Amino acid sequence: MGKSNTEEGDVAMTDANDHVEKTNKEEDSKVQTIQDKLLDNVRLIEQAVKEKEPRLISSRLLRQTQVLKGELTAEGIVLFVQTYLGGVGETSLERCQNVLKECGHGFSEVDYESKPEEMEQEEDGATQKKKKKKAEIAVIEAELYAYVVASMYLVQNKAWSDVLRVCQVGVGVLMEHNTRIVDPMGARLYSYMSLASEKMGTLSQIRGMLLQLYRAAVLRHDSIGQETLLNLLLRNYLHYKLYDQAEALRAKAQPETYKSSAQHCRLLYYHGRIQAVLLEYSDAKEALVQASRKAPLAAKGFRLQVAKWLIVVRLLLGEVPNRSEVAPADLRSMMHPYFELAKAVGAGDVNVFMEVASKYQSSFESDGLRLVVARLRANVIRSGVRRIATAYSRISLSDISNKLGLSNVSDAEYIVSKAIRDGGITAELDHETGIMTCSSVTDVYSTDEPLNAFHARIAFCLDVYNEAYKAIRHDPKARKTWNAWPKDVEEEDIEAILEDFEDYFDE
């Protein structure tokens, strides 16, 4: 009986040990799996360097890395750095390890002295020489990729000071090597550096560095770097409400064509904000409409911010848009303050508008729209005057003042006179009796409104066509086939063919 209990206890202990070993192996395989995936991504870098094709970095490498964002660990990143750079790029390995040791969130606890198992395995000399020769092709590129991966991991953990430290080291390495293959990774480092500075409240401290990087990107013909840095500089200026400086930079530095649709979309949004503050509402509406149409569906926060600015700009232009026109169904629940604002502007009641503006003042302040919303008071009054002119054929100025919520009759007289002069309403004002006499409503199709509406739609379609035509990309290798002409064809044969064509068209 005792022996049976002992055997059962030994079996249970063995099962428990097996379970612990199995768990440890699963954890090791998880780290190893992340390391292998990162090494597989480096193969894309080697291919991009060999073929001189930066699009492999922007279209495949960074997207695949974004998928691994949730699986990244500090140990896996360090093992990846040691496996690839060890024995090939000692300078890059030492520099990368030094900056990672200073970071928290697991990087400081990793043992940097121990070598990975793959490096400890013995291989024949030919295999080692072959791997070393292949890895030496992309040492700097792999080092920059390690900085991108480490920054991505630290951003997830909100370690903003560590993100800034890693990005600054990576940007320093980038400035020492002028090659177009690393441009997409450099743009990602710029974005992380600006994000970390914004979270730490030190955006003004990196503005000079961003300007220097932008000048370097222009001199190096780094297109994606120029687009990214221009947007980061505009965001920097707008953060401190430096709208004149932002508009001066945008007017001089905006490129004619964009390689990244995401960066183009961001620029349109910043352009719309700048023009709205500078009272150029038509240009602001055009830019914001394009930004809302170009924005991807996954960028919900960006689309929400664009929709908020767009509804305010349209209200400033005298339009009262419907909910379905301004925001899609998935954003309407988060735009309640702006729908209430549009309702108050359409009603033309100043008192209701002031109540809405004071009630949702914190929301408008957080969105950066408080000063722009304050301008809507004049639009509320104009909208109220138009409603009154439509509803009444004859009304006194005192009644207009009461309906608009104005303090005195003289203000109402000035507002009505200005509306008549600007063509907002068709009416006559008798100053002696204080009576406004409205004319009959004219047919809208006898005005220029249908013409302007069709013109706006046609202009938008032409802009879409021109942008699509500019975005067409051709295979550079195909030019050889286009320019190739059969060598056995003589000039006399060519002239004969052309004469046949002329005779055919003459007939």
Side-chain angles (χ1 to χ4, degrees):
M1 190 71 177
K3 184 177 180 181
S4 176
N5 291 335
T6 303
E7 290 177 355
E8 290 178 358
D10 293 340
V11 172
M13 184 65 70
T14 304
D15 293 340
N17 293 334
D18 293 342
H19 178 70
V20 172
E21 291 178 0
K22 184 177 180 181
T23 304
N24 293 334
K25 288 181 179 179
E26 287 179 356
E27 293 178 355
D28 294 341
S29 64
K30 181 180 179 181
V31 175
Q32 186 67 26
T33 302
I34 297 171
Q35 177 188 354
D36 290 340
K37 290 180 180 179
L38 294 176
L39 289 173
D40 290 340
N41 289 343
V42 176
R43 305 295 178 260
L44 284 175
I45 299 178
E46 294 176 352
Q47 182 182 355
V49 173
K50 185 178 180 181
E51 298 179 1
K52 297 181 180 180
E53 185 55 68
R55 282 186 292 181
L56 287 175
I57 305 294
S58 58
S59 62
R60 293 180 59 183
L61 176 70
L62 296 179
R63 290 182 182 178
Q64 292 181 9
T65 308
Q66 194 72 19
V67 175
L68 301 176
K69 183 171 61 175
E71 305 178 22
L72 292 175
T73 61
E75 186 178 357
I77 296 173
V78 173
L79 286 175
F80 156 70
V81 171
Q82 291 178 341
T83 302
Y84 191 84
L85 297 180
V88 178
E90 295 298 335
T91 304
S92 299
L93 176 62
E94 182 180 358
R95 181 167 49 204
C96 192
Q97 285 184 342
N98 289 337
V99 68
L100 293 180
K101 287 178 183 178
E102 299 176 1
C103 300
H105 295 279
F107 282 111
S108 57
E109 289 81 10
V110 177
D111 185 9
Y112 291 86
E113 301 300 329
S114 62
K115 295 183 179 180
E117 295 181 359
E118 292 184 3
M119 295 180 63
E120 293 178 355
Q121 294 177 356
E122 295 184 357
E123 295 179 344
D124 60 322
T127 306
Q128 289 182 353
K129 187 176 181 181
K130 184 178 180 181
K131 284 188 176 182
K132 183 176 180 180
K133 184 177 180 181
K134 188 176 181 180
E136 285 177 349
I137 299 175
V139 174
I140 299 300
E141 290 80 2
E143 182 187 358
L144 289 172
Y145 179 64
Y147 294 136
V148 172
V149 174
S151 301
M152 187 180 297
Y153 172 74
L154 293 170
V155 166
Q156 276 191 301
N157 292 278
K158 298 181 180 180
W160 304 119
S161 59
D162 294 336
V163 173
L164 187 61
R165 183 184 300 109
V166 173
C167 290
Q168 287 177 345
V169 174
V171 170
V173 175
L174 181 68
M175 289 296 100
E176 296 176 359
H177 299 83
N178 185 11
T179 172
R180 304 284 68 78
I181 300 298
V182 298
D183 289 346
M185 291 188 286
R188 187 62 62 91
L189 289 175
Y190 303 150
S191 301
Y192 286 146
M193 182 173 63
S194 179
L195 175 62
S197 299
E198 183 176 355
K199 295 296 183 180
M200 295 170 63
T202 58
L203 264 180
S204 60
Q205 298 179 9
I206 67 166
R207 189 183 304 157
M209 181 187 296
L210 292 177
L211 288 170
Q212 292 178 0
L213 292 173
Y214 181 78
R215 286 193 290 267
V218 172
L219 294 175
R220 294 182 174 188
H221 301 283
D222 177 9
S223 300
I224 185 65
Q226 293 179 46
E227 298 169 7
T228 304
L229 289 167
L230 176 60
N231 287 332
L232 294 178
L233 284 168
L234 291 177
R235 185 179 182 88
N236 197 310
Y237 284 127
L238 294 180
H239 182 79
Y240 294 99
K241 297 180 175 57
L242 302 174
Y243 295 101
D244 292 333
Q245 291 90 325
E247 174 58 17
L249 175 65
R250 187 209 61 81
K252 294 182 179 180
Q254 181 176 353
E256 297 181 358
T257 59
Y258 268 78
K259 288 189 175 182
S260 173
S261 59
Q263 298 299 333
H264 189 199
C265 191
R266 290 189 182 96
L267 178 73
L268 290 171
Y269 165 64
Y270 294 141
H271 183 201
R273 287 185 56 180
I274 294 169
Q275 297 301 321
V277 173
L278 298 180
L279 306 178
E280 300 291 340
Y281 300 130
S282 298
D283 296 339
K285 177 188 174 183
E286 182 181 355
L288 291 171
V289 167
Q290 291 187 26
S292 64
R293 288 171 174 168
K294 287 178 177 290
L297 295 176
K300 192 173 182 179
F302 179 80
R303 289 166 53 227
L304 176 63
Q305 197 67 13
V306 172
K308 290 177 180 179
W309 276 87
L310 181 58
I311 189 172
V312 175
V313 169
R314 293 187 65 176
L315 290 174
L316 287 169
L317 285 171
E319 305 175 10
V320 183
N322 298 326
R323 295 189 178 188
S324 58
E325 296 178 0
V326 177
D330 59 337
L331 301 179
R332 291 174 192 170
S333 60
M334 294 175 282
M335 293 192 63
H336 180 70
Y338 295 90
F339 292 145
E340 292 292 326
L341 183 66
K343 186 178 178 181
V345 173
D349 193 334
V350 178
N351 295 326
V352 176
F353 168 75
M354 297 305 294
E355 290 178 2
V356 173
S358 61
K359 182 179 179 180
Y360 299 106
Q361 182 178 0
S362 59
S363 299
F364 299 146
E365 182 71 30
S366 61
D367 295 332
L369 282 162
R370 184 177 63 85
L371 296 178
V372 182
V373 169
R375 301 177 187 171
L376 286 172
R377 186 177 182 276
N379 293 68
V380 174
I381 296 174
R382 283 196 295 267
S383 177
V385 170
R386 284 196 297 267
R387 291 171 65 90
I388 292 172
T390 304
Y392 296 90
S393 60
R394 183 182 176 87
I395 187 172
S396 65
L397 291 176
S398 59
D399 292 338
I400 294 175
S401 177
N402 294 331
K403 290 182 179 295
L404 295 178
L406 301 177
S407 58
N408 51 56
V409 180
S410 59
D411 291 342
E413 183 178 2
Y414 169 75
I415 291 169
V416 171
S417 302
K418 189 174 186 302
I420 294 173
R421 187 194 65 181
D422 296 341
I425 59 174
T426 305
E428 295 180 357
L429 181 62
D430 190 346
H431 296 278
E432 296 179 357
T433 60
I435 300 294
M436 183 182 72
T437 304
C438 304
S439 304
S440 58
V441 180
T442 58
D443 184 12
V444 68
Y445 289 100
S446 63
T447 63
D448 294 337
E449 290 188 13
L451 175 64
N452 296 331
F454 278 115
H455 174 71
R457 295 176 183 178
I458 293 171
F460 173 75
C461 293
L462 290 174
D463 290 340
V464 171
Y465 171 79
N466 292 332
E467 291 178 5
Y469 191 79
K470 292 178 181 178
I472 295 176
R473 294 180 178 177
H474 300 284
D475 186 6
K477 298 179 182 178
R479 295 182 179 179
K480 298 179 181 179
T481 59
W482 297 342
N483 297 329
W485 186 267
K487 296 181 179 180
D488 55 347
V489 179
E490 298 181 358
E491 294 183 0
E492 297 178 357
D493 298 334
I494 298 174
E495 293 177 358
I497 293 173
L498 294 176
E499 290 177 359
D500 292 339
F501 271 107
E502 292 177 357
D503 296 339
Y504 174 78
F505 287 111
D506 290 339
E507 293 176 359

